Amino acid sequence: KLERIQNRLGWRTKEEQRQARKRARDRHKFGLPFSPWTLQAARIISVARLMLTVDTSDPFNHLIRDITFCGVETLAFDPDDESLTLSQVIDETNAVQPVVVGWNSRGYDIPVVINRSGIPTLGLKQPEYLMAITRTKRYGPMDKRNVDVMKEWAGGGTRFPGLDAAARAMGGAGKMGKSGSGVLEMWLQEDYGEIAAYCECDVLNTMYVYVVWLRSTGQLYDNAVYNRFVDQQVKYFNANAKDRPHLREYLRQWRSHSKNRLKLPRGKKR
């Protein structure tokens, strides 16, 4: 009865119950679903790049006029030396100063990069840009150049869905049956290509949820812009599917969860 009451009041959905049971199984099997940060290293990092054309003529509404999908890639890495991966992240962010988008990036990804880069034996530069955009409410407002989509979707609340559940609920591909808790086993088996494929699909899911968030907040209102963005992705996935089969599977899952409706009707979303 209590479970039914919780579901009715929205305290714990069936999906949250399923995730909680899975976490319990992972704790039983692996000890912890994820290793503590003291045992983590930034060895393999994947990124998806977008170029947004923004109309800043209205100081209150910065509307997106165009989106260009620039591809997804895994940065060069050395399993025995994380400085190779971290140096690429630090150099690019310091030089380009992009808007950094992630899923729990304020609470995990960016702090891990900042913390690991401070290890003296790695001999890295300071990630000055990442440090500048990672400010908490304790010290000032969140920087608009650091978009944590997980927390944006929560709307200031404290109940955060998983990326897999969020992406699939919005018609995206989701994690395709994989989980971050399985990365340790892949690493121990030296299956670095599988880890890279998992990371690339993860950033594609994050990118998809981000663009949906842009539409829901009115920043992206022209369906034609969104449809061109979809066309760019489909073309990219098909062109690279031979060498990277996980992109073909991602596209297949995306089509399935969206009921083969990747594009929107013509017109503008007001």
Side-chain angles (χ1 to χ4, degrees), residues 39-46 74-86 88-89 108 112-113 116 119 122 183 187 192 195-196 199:
L39 300 178
Q40 295 172 2
R43 299 293 173 89
I44 298 179
I45 296 179
S46 298
T74 298
L75 303 179
F77 65 91
D78 181 345
D80 299 318
D81 183 11
E82 66 179 310
S83 64
L84 174 61
T85 302
L86 285 171
Q88 295 173 82
V89 175
Y108 179 75
V112 166
V113 172
R116 299 298 298 178
I119 298 175
L122 295 180
V183 171
W187 181 268
Y192 307 128
I195 296 175
C199 291

Side-chain angles (χ1 to χ4, degrees), residues 5-37:
I5 292 174
Q6 288 176 333
N7 289 340
R8 191 172 302 166
L9 295 179
W11 294 346
R12 174 169 285 189
T13 65
K14 290 183 178 180
E15 175 62 24
E16 289 173 331
Q17 294 176 30
R18 189 185 70 80
Q19 294 287 350
R21 288 195 294 269
K22 184 178 185 304
R23 287 194 295 270
R25 289 195 300 268
D26 287 345
R27 281 193 294 270
H28 177 73
K29 184 176 181 181
F30 301 109
L32 283 171
F34 297 97
S35 301
W37 70 268

